[in-house]
């Protein structure tokens, strides 16, 4: 079977609730069959609105959404073959686990003899066989969310939507549920569209991540691509930790440019956003891409002073005053020898220009 790369397709979708402000702007997003795509972004950036339109509870103001090649605007929610798990889309409190799972099957008029088989299969996916007669209030928060996941899968949907499904759980449980949902996805291959504002969750779970800000997708990439090669300052700031230098392009040729900082010092950078001399830019550098007193020559090498050293178990976090930025962060794995890393030490900081990305000035 040929995989459909446009299994879910947002085709130039706008959404306005009040007829004035667009909260989703020109959304173009193709999701492949079997993919796990996460919409990641700050609160209010339009993620839930997109899921609601896909589920059929909201209508696009402009544009169209396609599911497996069919425009879905005129198909009611329960006929779209979409399962849902929402943080606030709780289980029916007055129904047993079994009845909660039977509900979506009855709505879809699944024959009685298949109902038990499907419920059994769905409960085994979330390791809750034997819980059929429990009421939701007799389950822990994690177990309730696992039932909600089972309920979203029980009728073999084409697509499952999950909107911050782990938001109410504590950190350890949230992390183990992330792997659990990821493994369920891997084993059954259903298409998942997941929403979170938690970057770690998105990086852990997704095949691709669409970073939302202000109703627009800023970047759609695999987790590693997003972290290693953010296309703009928003993404660089939102995903992971980021050191920045503001300046103006003083020279540019091919895949390298010089950026003159406000203090007059020049650094070498990778011109991602900038094209010409004189443009303003913010240079972005990940904390683990810089080295203290590097043995080999690196094309950026500048003197700095260690302002703070914090031990983090697997790595040490060092704050450095560098080129007028006293919030420059560097991370060093604790397996390396850290002889030079003492508070107040004068050190050299080196990095390669390909790792300092000259992005938009915002
Ligand atoms: P997110 O899920 O990323 O936090 P939402 O899609 O919930 O963002 O919201 C996007 C914007 O739309 C916000 O400004 C929010 O206030 C507004 N909004 C969301 N739902 C409604 C609604 N039902 N009526 C009016 N405005 C809404
Ligand atoms: Mg939301």
């Amino acid at each position: 079977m040929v995989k459909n790369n446009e299994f879910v397709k947002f085709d130039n979708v706008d959404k306005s609730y009040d007829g004035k402000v667009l909260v989703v702007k020109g959304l173009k997003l193709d999701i492949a069959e079997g993919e796990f795509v996460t919409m990641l972004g700050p609160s209010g950036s339009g993620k839930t609105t997109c899921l609601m339109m896909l589920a059929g509870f909201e209508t696009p103001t402009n544009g169209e959404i396609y599911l497996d090649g069919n425009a879905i605007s005129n198909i009611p929610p329960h006929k779209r073959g979409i399962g849902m798990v929402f943080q606030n889309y709780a289980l029916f409190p007055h129904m047993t686990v079994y009845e909660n799972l039977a509900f979506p099957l009855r709505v879809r008029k699944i024959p009685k003899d298949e109902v038990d088989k499907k419920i059994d299969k769905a409960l085994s996916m979330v390791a809750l066989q034997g819980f059929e007669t429990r009421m939701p209030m007799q389950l822990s928060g994690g177990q309730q969310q696992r039932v909600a996941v089972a309920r979203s899968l029980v009728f073999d949907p084409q697509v499952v939507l999950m909107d911050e499904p782990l938001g109410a759980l504590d950190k350890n449980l949230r992390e183990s549920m992330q792997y659990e949902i990821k493994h369920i996805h891997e084993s059954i291959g259903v298409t998942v569209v997941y929403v979170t504002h938690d970057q770690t969750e998105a990086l852990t779970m997704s095949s691709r991540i669409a970073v939302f800000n202000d109703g627009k997708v800023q970047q759609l990439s695999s987790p590693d691509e997003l972290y290693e090669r953010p296309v703009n300052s928003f993404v660089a700031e939102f995903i992971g930790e980021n050191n920045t230098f503001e300046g103006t392009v003083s020279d540019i040729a091919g895949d390298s440019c010089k950026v003159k900082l406000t203090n007059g010092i020049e650094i070498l950078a990778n011109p991602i956003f900038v094209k010409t001399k004189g443009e303003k830019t913010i240079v972005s550098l990940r904390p683990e891409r810089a080295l203290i007193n590097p043995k080999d020559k690196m094309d950026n090498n500048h003197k700095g002073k260690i302002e703070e050293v914090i031990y983090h178990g697997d790595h040490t976090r060092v704050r450095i005053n560098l080129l007028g930025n006293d919030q420059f962060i560097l991370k060093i794995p604790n397996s390396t020898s850290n002889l030079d890393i003492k508070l107040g030490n004068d050190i050299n900081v080196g990095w390669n220009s390909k790792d300092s990305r000259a992005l938009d000035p915002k």
Side-chain angles (χ1 to χ4, degrees), residues 37 124 131 179 209 218 241 249 303 314 346 352:
V37 169
S124 77
F131 285 71
Y179 290 112
I209 299 170
Q218 306 290 314
E241 250 191 305
V249 178
K303 288 199 184 326
D314 59 339
D346 291 316
N352 287 320

Side-chain angles (χ1 to χ4, degrees), residues 18-35:
D18 60 5
K20 289 184 215 128
V21 183
L22 291 181
V23 299
V24 174
K25 301 169 189 163
L27 178 64
K28 287 185 201 160
L29 179 60
D30 293 344
I31 298 171
E33 193 167 6
E35 222 184 345

Side-chain angles (χ1 to χ4, degrees), residues 291-301 349-352:
L291 298 176
I292 290 181
N293 295 337
K295 289 193 189 67
D296 302 323
K297 191 172 158 16
M298 301 179 100
D299 51 16
N300 283 290
N301 215 313
V349 177
W351 71 90
N352 287 320

Side-chain angles (χ1 to χ4, degrees), residues 177-297:
M177 285 286 293
Q178 288 168 9
Y179 290 112
E180 201 166 322
I181 292 174
K182 187 178 162 77
H183 293 150
I184 291 172
H185 170 256
E186 284 162 2
S187 72
I188 64 175
V190 67
T191 308
V192 178
V193 188
Y194 194 95
V195 161
T196 182
H197 64 270
D198 181 329
Q199 47 149 316
T200 315
E201 189 161 300
L203 293 173
T204 303
M205 300 179 82
S206 323
S207 14
R208 286 189 303 159
I209 299 170
V211 180
F212 273 67
N213 190 37
D214 197 20
K216 279 195 189 140
V217 173
Q218 306 290 314
Q219 183 168 359
L220 172 66
S221 300
S222 62
D224 57 322
E225 181 78 18
L226 208 57
Y227 183 81
E228 301 289 347
R229 287 182 282 281
V231 297
N232 63 32
S233 303
F234 177 82
V235 177
E237 284 286 309
F238 195 73
I239 313 279
E241 250 191 305
N242 189 40
N243 293 302
T244 57
F245 294 105
E246 282 181 46
T248 306
V249 178
S250 53
D251 201 2
I252 183 162
D255 58 1
S256 174
C257 67
K258 273 188 191 157
V259 174
K260 193 171 196 168
L261 308 184
T262 37
N263 57 15
I265 295 171
E266 286 182 321
I267 60 175
L268 286 171
N270 183 354
I272 302 298
F273 173 85
V274 295
K275 304 234 161 15
T276 52
K277 234 167 120 164
E279 274 186 80
K280 288 209 177 316
T281 181
I282 291 179
V283 177
S284 150
L285 176 67
R286 295 294 185 198
E288 65 281 6
R289 294 289 164 186
L291 298 176
I292 290 181
N293 295 337
K295 289 193 189 67
D296 302 323
K297 191 172 158 16

Side-chain angles (χ1 to χ4, degrees), residues 13-25 49 53 58-62:
V13 170
D14 292 334
K15 176 66 182 177
S16 173
Y17 287 103
D18 60 5
K20 289 184 215 128
V21 183
L22 291 181
V23 299
V24 174
K25 301 169 189 163
T49 300
M53 291 190 287
E58 293 291 348
T59 316
T61 307
N62 296 302

Side-chain angles (χ1 to χ4, degrees), residues 3 7 9 13 72 86 95 117 128 164 166 186 190 201 205 228 234 238 243 253 285 318 331:
K3 190 171 87 172
F7 193 60
K9 186 179 185 69
V13 170
I72 57 173
F86 292 165
M95 292 185 188
K117 266 190 234 150
L128 281 180
E164 315 249 2
L166 310 179
E186 284 162 2
V190 67
E201 189 161 300
M205 300 179 82
E228 301 289 347
F234 177 82
F238 195 73
N243 293 302
L285 176 67
V318 188
K331 285 182 192 165

